[in-house]
Amino acid sequence: MGFRDMKRRDLLSLIGTVAGSAVMYQAATSLGLAAETTYKGPIKLDGDAKGASILILGAGVAGLVAAIELRKAGYKVQVLEYREKAGGRSWSLRGGDTYTELGGFKQTVGFDKGLYINPGPWRIPYHHRAVLDYCHRYGVALEPFNQVNYNAYLHSAKAYGGKPQRFREIQADYHGHVAELLAKLTHQNALDGTVTKEDQEKLLESLRGWGGLDKNYAYAASLESSNVRGYEKAPGGGMNGAPVPSTPASLRDVMQGGLWRFLGMGLRDEFQSTIFQPVGGMDQFPTALAREVKDLIRFNTKVTEIHQDDHGVTVTYTDTVKGGAAQTAKADWCLCTIPLSVLSQIKLNVGPKMASAISAVPYEAAAKVGLQFKRRFWEQDEAIYGGISFTDLPIAMIGYPNSGYGSPGKGVLLGTYVFGAYAMEYTAMPPEERIKRALAYGAQIHPQYTKEFDTGVAVGWHRVPWTLGCHASWTEETRAAHYQDLCQVDGRIALAGEHASYITGWQEGAVLSSLDAITRLHQRVVTA
Amino acid sequence: MTIFKSFTVKAAGLTALLTALHVAVGVLPHPAHAQASDASSAAFASPRHFGQKDGAALYQAICQGCHMPDAKGATGAGTYPALAGNPNLEAAGYPVAMVVHGQKAMPPIGEFLDDDQVAAVVNYVRTHFGNHYTDTVTAADVKAAR
Ligand SMILES: Cc1cc2nc3c(=O)[nH]c(=O)nc-3n(C[C@H](O)[C@H](O)[C@H](O)COP(=O)(O)OP(=O)(O)OC[C@H]3O[C@@H](n4cnc5c(N)ncnc54)[C@H](O)[C@@H]3O)c2cc1C
């Protein structure tokens, strides 16, 4: 095989073998493959596991990935999971499901067949290479998640008379006025001395296209601006086909309206296209992983104590369905993926450094509300196909389904997705009240809400019995004080999960942390 | 505060869901959401600050999310302790520190409340749900605990 025939991956694994992974990473970066991830492709746990056994606590994505890989590497694996199913926070709620939150508030989901919401994770960016690799390897079908929909709304109760504006119009007006201002300054020679004349010419040309400026470099009612922000009357066919341009908002209105604040999210690395969602719900991802290791998982199993000594690890648990006396499981090693909010309450004999790290990280509040409507009015009446509308009302956003476009029946959208104080307030309400709130606020954006509402379900994450919160909330200070201690193997125990990563609040963090922890554990086993 | 915090969080690691949203939602001045369903305009005053002033309203807007409406707490994979008849409330400084700084599963709420609000909710909890502590916490006590 000649060099030219080599695929990039082959070349990379060659460089990897010859020169070690740092060089490999550099090479991958220069080939444009790996700059945005530390994922190095499928994990290789080479070397003899010597029949060692391991207990994995928690069957979220961190625990599932570890179970798959450690079994492959020759370990005797047992997984203990509190819930009745695998997936943890990677969870979907469908018609017929029941969900009982802390305090005993029980909801039965009334959605139609095939309709669901993801109360937790809902999107996977293209650079989450580890998650995507596992999706591809285990047959999880993916479809686009529309982060930015130009025809969805931006809304503030106190701007534009409370009338929702199309994302497209706000962005066009914001860009248009910025472009016009910069063009004016250029023409007034304000950039002389800073920018060469030649570059000023190019800048002017680019501003015209980017901003939708007319031939006089004005952002005004024109075909150029309408080409960006949309028309008063769109081009059509026949006698009446001529377009009528729309009139942009004034710079003052754009600035005062404040909706420009919503424009930035989709520009951020974490939210850039392409973003995916698993077809049929986020839980399809862990479900595919769990299929590989279902014989290893003990469900309805609440871990209450973790004890290690020179010989191994003993985990005490209770069966949450059958009850009865506490039982124990033993193994040589333990990988614990229980969220810190819960783990900090479990008796665990690790050193003081890891112990204080476990207690140092609070969990963010979040709440989501899913609403089923009798018809997909956002598509039928408003031509909004997927994506997100943003508002300063206490629902923060409305997320439209990114699948099933044009279906005649009912439709489910995400009617609230909030953090911080709003999320705490939702969580403190009974579920019906959360739904009522979501409806009342959302009706200010979609008046159809009132007539078309059918049924809903609401999740406040601090009441989710098995995580007590949304995700680990690190600060620079707590990272500096505790992060390394949290990730360090302590005797026979290693921790993994979203909280043991720099990508908190993403499944990618959970998977990368798990792969890192089992790599380090495995090294210990092999070299022991 | 939250905004700065969210930038810190961002700097400390990529934080998925939050940063952009706090920035997006948080910066807008907060309208009185008068059109909303309920008359209590104190509810949902701002994503960064609770609007309620009195202890009972604050308890219902925040604390009962975890400690439950009857303050008896709840247990799942982990536990939210009962505040009802809780002897840890005897030293007033303890609940004040808990609210302001958090601990383990209890998130810090201090950034969302002013000193008077913290005092009000601590005083409420220490005199309800079977707790009968007569010394009161002042805003100055809270300020000192921050
Ligand atoms: C509202 C929200 C939105 C999110 N959005 C996204 C997104 O869009 N994209 C994305 O990629 N990620 C998102 N995330 C983050 C993602 O859900 C997590 O990072 C990831 O699922 C964490 O996986 P994990 O395995 O670390 O933890 P978990 O999934 O929490 O798994 C831990 C497991 O431990 C079990 N457990 C707990 N206590 C015990 C016990 N005592 N005994 C036995 N078992 C126990 C739990 O039941 C659970 O199954 C979101 C999360 C939330 C909450």
Side-chain angles (χ1 to χ4, degrees):
Chain A
M1 186 175 72
F3 181 76
R4 278 162 45 105
D5 304 318
M6 257 176 147
K7 289 207 234 92
R8 277 203 302 188
R9 267 207 179 282
D10 299 331
L11 174 60
L12 288 179
S13 59
L14 181 72
I15 299 173
T17 341
V18 176
S21 60
V23 175
M24 163 123 162
Y25 182 73
Q26 248 178 351
T29 307
S30 62
L31 291 176
L33 261 186
E36 74 280 13
T37 180
T38 56
Y39 184 58
K40 301 189 193 77
I43 190 173
K44 287 191 196 65
L45 298 175
D46 295 332
D48 189 357
K50 301 166 192 158
S53 58
I54 184 158
L55 275 164
I56 297 173
L57 311 182
V61 291
L64 291 169
V65 161
I68 290 175
E69 301 299 352
L70 289 172
R71 167 148 78 181
K72 266 199 240 162
Y75 288 80
K76 291 199 232 52
V77 178
Q78 199 189 350
V79 185
L80 305 182
E81 166 55 48
Y82 174 79
R83 299 181 69 198
E84 73 293 354
K85 61 178 167 192
R89 277 168 272 180
S90 305
W91 178 32
S92 304
L93 282 168
R94 304 190 169 70
D97 286 351
T98 58
Y99 165 53
T100 305
E101 64 184 37
L102 287 176
F105 302 91
K106 182 174 171 178
Q107 300 176 75
T108 301
V109 185
F111 297 161
D112 273 22
K113 198 169 165 5
L115 303 182
Y116 67 90
I117 65 150
N118 295 317
W122 60 332
R123 55 191 154 198
I124 306 172
Y126 71 91
H127 50 82
H128 284 184
R129 298 267 177 120
V131 168
L132 288 174
D133 193 19
Y134 279 95
C135 284
H136 300 332
R137 272 150 70 195
Y138 294 102
V140 180
L142 300 168
E143 62 194 358
F145 175 101
N146 303 321
Q147 174 67 42
V148 178
N149 178 342
Y150 278 67
N151 209 41
Y153 292 126
L154 301 181
H155 170 264
S156 165
K158 60 181 280 286
Y160 298 90
K163 202 172 157 290
Q165 306 294 300
R166 301 286 185 174
F167 183 99
R168 184 186 59 250
E169 293 167 358
I170 299 297
Q171 178 165 286
D173 290 355
Y174 176 71
H175 287 179
H177 285 295
V178 169
E180 184 187 281
L181 279 174
L182 195 46
K184 257 188 206 148
L185 289 172
T186 310
H187 283 126
Q188 289 165 4
N189 303 320
L191 304 185
D192 290 3
T194 319
V195 182
T196 66
K197 273 291 169 201
E198 194 199 341
D199 286 351
Q200 289 187 30
E201 289 306 313
K202 293 196 156 64
L203 177 64
L204 285 169
E205 188 189 338
S206 76
L207 289 173
R208 259 183 81 174
W210 180 71
L213 306 185
D214 67 16
K215 61 180 187 312
N216 302 317
Y217 296 92
Y219 184 64
S222 68
L223 293 180
E224 287 90 345
S225 64
S226 291
N227 210 357
V228 185
R229 79 186 300 283
Y231 299 81
E232 175 75 37
K233 176 170 163 283
M239 289 282 286
N240 259 328
V244 178
S246 64
T247 306
S250 70
L251 174 62
R252 189 179 158 76
D253 286 350
V254 172
M255 289 297 111
Q256 295 298 317
L259 296 183
W260 47 267
R261 294 175 202 275
F262 295 120
L263 295 173
M265 186 173 173
L267 298 173
R268 297 162 57 110
D269 178 59
E270 290 169 294
F271 301 105
Q272 286 169 14
S273 303
T274 300
I275 309 183
F276 297 101
Q277 62 181 23
V279 173
M282 187 55 85
D283 68 350
Q284 297 308 297
F285 170 43
T287 300
L289 300 179
R291 213 172 282 136
E292 303 295 311
V293 288
K294 57 175 180 289
D295 52 314
L296 304 181
I297 309 175
R298 191 186 198 288
F299 292 107
N300 302 312
T301 301
K302 175 176 166 173
V303 170
T304 55
E305 185 178 345
I306 305 163
H307 182 86
Q308 58 175 336
D309 59 26
D310 292 346
H311 309 290
V313 182
T314 304
V315 172
T316 308
Y317 62 86
T318 53
D319 189 311
T320 59
V321 173
K322 295 190 198 115
Q327 305 176 54
T328 56
K330 289 183 200 298
D332 301 322
W333 303 92
C334 176
L335 181 77
C336 178
T337 73
I338 295 174
L340 299 181
S341 43
V342 177
L343 185 61
S344 58
Q345 307 181 26
I346 290 176
K347 199 168 165 207
L348 167 67
N349 68 333
V350 290
K353 283 186 169 179
M354 183 185 266
S356 51
I358 289 170
S359 291
V361 190
Y363 273 54
E364 190 63 47
K368 280 192 181 183
V369 178
L371 301 172
Q372 175 166 283
F373 293 95
K374 290 171 204 144
R375 62 184 187 93
R376 298 166 74 109
F377 56 79
W378 52 93
E379 295 178 355
Q380 295 159 7
D381 304 352
E382 289 157 294
I384 297 173
Y385 296 93
I388 303 169
S389 288
F390 292 91
T391 173
D392 64 350
L393 292 173
I395 53 174
M397 50 180 110
I398 296 177
Y400 309 96
N402 296 300
S403 62
Y405 304 121
S407 310
K410 295 177 182 175
V412 169
L413 55 68
L414 180 72
T416 295
Y417 187 10
V418 288
F419 300 95
Y422 284 165
M424 293 182 194
E425 281 191 70
Y426 273 98
T427 304
M429 294 172 166
E432 320 78 77
E433 180 65 20
R434 296 175 201 148
I435 293 167
K436 258 171 58 188
R437 291 288 184 153
L439 285 171
Y441 291 124
Q444 294 181 44
I445 295 167
H446 293 290
Q448 302 97 319
Y449 263 40
T450 321
K451 187 162 159 256
E452 307 293 353
F453 175 66
D454 188 33
T455 182
V457 62
V459 174
W461 275 88
H462 268 94
R463 278 200 191 162
V464 173
W466 32 272
T467 70
L468 313 184
C470 170
H471 72 79
S473 176
W474 289 94
T475 63
E476 257 175 288
E477 294 74 35
T478 51
R479 286 245 189 237
H482 299 293
Y483 183 75
Q484 294 296 323
D485 297 335
L486 189 83
C487 296
Q488 211 68 252
V489 178
D490 182 302
R492 298 174 166 273
I493 298 172
L495 308 186
E498 166 268 323
H499 46 275
S501 80
Y502 270 76
I503 326 177
T504 50
W506 289 102
Q507 297 168 112
E508 183 78 355
V511 172
L512 290 179
S513 121
S514 182
L515 295 176
D516 177 62
I518 62 176
T519 303
R520 286 180 289 116
L521 265 183
H522 182 64
Q523 273 160 10
R524 288 205 174 196
V525 172
V526 172
T527 55
Chain B
M1 176 67 192
T2 308
I3 290 209
F4 293 117
K5 187 186 150 222
S6 58
F7 281 124
T8 331
V9 171
K10 169 72 183 172
L14 304 169
T15 292
L17 337 142
L18 295 179
T19 40
L21 305 182
H22 277 325
V23 172
V25 179
V27 187
L28 287 175
H30 308 297
H33 301 296
Q35 308 97 308
S37 67
D38 124 318
S40 128
S41 58
F44 294 110
S46 149
R48 297 196 310 262
H49 202 91
F50 289 95
Q52 296 82 358
K53 297 279 172 223
D54 75 284
L58 284 163
Y59 183 88
Q60 284 155 23
I62 310 171
C63 316
Q64 74 177 23
C66 299
H67 297 285
M68 298 300 150
D70 59 6
K72 296 224 169 99
T75 293
T79 291
Y80 291 127
L83 299 179
N86 185 331
N88 285 338
L89 297 173
E90 183 173 351
Y94 179 76
V96 169
M98 271 311 223
V99 171
V100 171
H101 300 296
Q103 190 191 85
K104 299 183 175 178
M106 165 98 184
I109 322 274
E111 67 182 280
F112 301 110
L113 298 169
D114 61 32
D115 296 342
D116 286 313
Q117 288 172 306
V118 175
V121 75
V122 168
N123 287 329
Y124 175 76
V125 172
R126 292 181 78 240
T127 52
H128 290 78
F129 310 118
N131 303 309
H132 304 288
Y133 304 103
T134 49
D135 55 321
T136 50
V137 170
T138 65
D141 297 334
V142 177
K143 189 159 193 256
R146 282 195 191 260

